[in-house]
Amino acid sequence: MTAADRLTKDGIRLFNPEDFVGMAEAGRVAATILDDIASHVFVGQTTGEIDRVITKMVDAHGAKSATIGYKGYQHASCISVNHVVCHGIPSDKRLKDGDILNIDVTVIIDGWYGDTSRMYVAGKLGRKAERLIQVTHDSLFKGIEAVKPGNTFGDIGHAIQRFVEGHRMSVVRDFCGHGLGRVFHAPPNVLHYGRPGTGPVLEEGMFFTIEPMVNLGRPETKILADDWTAVTRDKSLSAQFEHTIGVTADGFEIFTLSPGDKFHPTYAT
Ligand code: MF3
Ligand code: CO
Ligand code: CO
């Protein structure tokens, strides 16, 4: 057993200070790709073309896509438009004015996984969609602010749920964040709802994602016949933001911060 094999009683891996360097590099590349794809999102564009550009960008960074070949998935991104909650498959369908979309990219660099997603808009952002995106974005940061040693995963979920429901929107229960590091998905499941003080206790050296999905309507989802695409049952709009983070001695490090400060879709274009 080496220091790299430290596991908590909940089976959550604890990483070492030098591992934060690897994660920061993988996270930076994933976030840079999301910055650079912004100019490829416009009315009339297809999500398939956006994905082809992402595939080339992953390659240009000397990275590997974590999603190509993952459980049979064949694309370098998931692109989830309007009422698609997550795992939208890039296609030849064209974006229409006012469409909102989440683009989710995971890359592997030197064996480390960087996983991040954010929202984009084609054309003019509608008022309801803008509110949904703002609340979803801010809910992620409410969750991140709860990250420090001694707090619990329930504290993170509670902070997100309380904020979202306070704005009369709903948190999706059917998908969660996840531990990661040198694998894509590891313990724990990071729920975006919960009760304070419940769940595993956070410790320095944990790596995981927080990736709340928020619906304007009800929280229930269903999977389409393609066995991937998750949509809201009531067809209401859904949004999501995702960061990969590490727990530090006194808080957190966000590995997937936007180098161009473009994480929020209302940045000046
Ligand atoms: N990146 C997604 C996540 O946040 C997982 C996508 S898996 C895929 O966990 F196969 F659908 F790409
Ligand atoms: Co993820
Ligand atoms: Co992701």
Side-chain angles (χ1 to χ4, degrees), residues 5 10 22-24 38 47 72 79 85 107 121 139 171 196-197 199 206 255-256:
D5 293 309
D10 303 294
M23 287 298 281
T47 56
I79 304 184
V85 173
V107 299
V121 58
S139 80
V171 174
M206 289 179 176
F255 296 125
T256 44

Side-chain angles (χ1 to χ4, degrees), residues 104-106 115-117 178 184-185 209 211 240 242:
D104 189 337
V105 169
T106 310
D115 184 6
T116 183
S117 81
H178 48 93
F184 199 169
H185 294 106
T209 71
E211 48 182 297
Q240 179 179 27
E242 174 177 28

Side-chain angles (χ1 to χ4, degrees), residues 65-78 86-89 104-106 114-117 176-178 180 184-185 209 211 213 228 240 242:
S65 165
T67 54
I68 295 175
Y70 178 77
K71 296 184 176 173
Y73 195 75
Q74 296 183 351
H75 304 274
S77 62
C78 296
C86 63
H87 301 165
I89 302 174
D104 189 337
V105 169
T106 310
D115 184 6
T116 183
S117 81
C176 55
H178 48 93
L180 79 177
F184 199 169
H185 294 106
T209 71
E211 48 182 297
M213 285 139 275
W228 277 105
Q240 179 179 27
E242 174 177 28

Side-chain angles (χ1 to χ4, degrees), residues 113-160:
Y113 284 67
D115 184 6
T116 183
S117 81
R118 59 177 91 148
M119 296 302 293
Y120 300 80
V121 58
K124 190 173 156 27
L125 184 59
R127 286 236 317 278
K128 280 184 179 164
E130 182 172 7
R131 261 192 81 231
L132 171 67
I133 288 171
Q134 185 73 52
V135 167
T136 309
H137 172 276
D138 293 353
S139 80
L140 168 59
F141 284 90
K142 293 287 176 194
I144 291 173
E145 282 161 22
V147 174
K148 67 171 180 199
N151 279 3
T152 70
F153 281 93
D155 293 334
I156 297 173
H158 177 75
I160 294 167

